[in-house]
């Protein structure tokens, strides 16, 4: 199984990248490809820009990456209760290539933040809208207080309850 793991964040030190990579690694025997949305940077979407540029190669390439995967693990950064602008931009452009961005793939949706809210607001938005974008959401999990619950040195969760929950979710792939 080929899993595409990505953070909906453009931060080079993204905690969501750490979570997505760790989660994907829990699937035994899976081939994990980490995608960095910085490789798909485009001008801020507008219909005017779309008329000018058409469908940027980056949007088509992002869509193709999802298409080539058997499953997607995505972890959302929360900026002011919503998606990071960087991710939303990639998503908006890609949705103009094809609104079925996730192409019917099984998707695990995660989110984390340093605070107790665990980016649950953006995660709820993502899971709630997933059917419109042809994501077959197999499970979702918000990890609160990332730095308390994740061992950065080891690159793994250290909260037993969260580990068990995540393992259950990942076993659905
Ligand atoms: C502009 C901005 C807004 C933020 N808003 C929220 C928020 O609404 N909720 C939250 O839990 N964390 C918020 N944070 C903190 C992020 O959760 C934190 O920066 C986290 O590291 C982002 O994930 P990432 O490291 O994967 O990019 C915000 C951070 C920034 C820079």
């Amino acid at each position: 199984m080929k899993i595409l793991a990505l953070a909906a964040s453009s931060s080079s030190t993204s905690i969501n990248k750490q979570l997505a990579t760790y989660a994907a690694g829990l699937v035994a025997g899976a081939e994990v490809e980490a995608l960095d949305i910085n490789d798909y940077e485009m001008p801020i979407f507008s219909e005017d820009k779309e008329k000018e540029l058409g469908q940027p190669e980056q949007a088509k390439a992002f869509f193709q990456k999802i298409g080539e995967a058997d499953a997607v693990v995505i972890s959302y950064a929360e900026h002011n209760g919503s998606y990071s602008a960087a991710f939303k931009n990639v998503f908006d452009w890609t949705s103009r290539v094809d609104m079925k961005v996730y192409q019917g793939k099984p998707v695990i949706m995660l989110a984390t933040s340093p605070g107790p809210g665990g980016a649950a607001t953006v995660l709820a938005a993502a899971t709630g809208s997933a059917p419109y974008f042809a994501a077959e959401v197999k499970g979702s999990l918000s990890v609160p207080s990332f730095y308390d619950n994740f061992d950065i040195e080891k690159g793994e969760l250290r909260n037993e309850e969260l580990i068990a929950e995540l393992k259950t979710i990942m076993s659905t792939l």
Side-chain angles (χ1 to χ4, degrees):
M1 168 179 281
K2 196 168 157 186
I3 298 180
L4 190 67
L6 70 145
S9 161
S10 59
S11 167
S12 62
T13 56
S14 170
I15 58 178
N16 283 282
K17 187 192 281 182
Q18 293 175 65
L19 180 61
T21 308
Y22 164 67
L26 293 175
V27 181
E31 180 196 329
V32 179
E33 179 176 358
L35 178 148
D36 185 341
I37 64 165
N38 286 301
D39 294 337
Y40 301 85
E41 194 175 326
M42 288 167 271
I44 294 174
F45 180 87
S46 74
E47 293 189 25
D48 293 333
K49 282 280 174 207
E50 188 179 37
K51 281 187 191 119
E52 185 189 326
L53 301 171
Q55 293 179 345
E57 286 308 315
Q58 296 94 318
K60 289 193 266 189
F62 184 77
F63 184 77
Q64 195 178 333
K65 276 281 172 206
I66 294 174
E68 286 165 2
D70 296 312
V72 177
V73 177
I74 180 165
S75 190
Y76 295 91
E78 183 170 283
H79 281 180
N80 298 318
S82 192
Y83 301 102
S84 71
F87 174 76
K88 186 64 164 51
N89 196 46
V90 174
F91 196 84
D92 285 348
W93 277 110
T94 307
S95 72
R96 302 293 278 178
V97 174
D98 188 333
M99 199 175 159
K100 293 180 175 156
V101 172
Y102 294 105
Q103 303 166 59
K105 306 284 173 177
V107 182
I108 303 291
M109 292 189 169
L110 309 172
T112 191
S113 75
T121 303
V122 69
L123 184 60
T127 55
S129 63
Y132 299 106
F133 306 108
E136 196 198 322
V137 180
K138 297 296 228 176
S140 67
L141 180 69
S142 153
V143 172
S145 308
F146 178 81
Y147 295 101
D148 294 338
N149 289 318
F150 197 92
D151 185 328
I152 291 169
E153 303 275 295
K154 291 187 181 157
E156 60 188 37
L157 279 174
R158 59 173 151 220
N159 175 310
E160 292 302 330
E161 255 175 59
L162 289 169
I163 292 170
E165 242 183 291
L166 187 59
K167 281 188 172 166
T168 303
I169 288 169
M170 298 313 294
S171 72
T172 62
L173 291 184

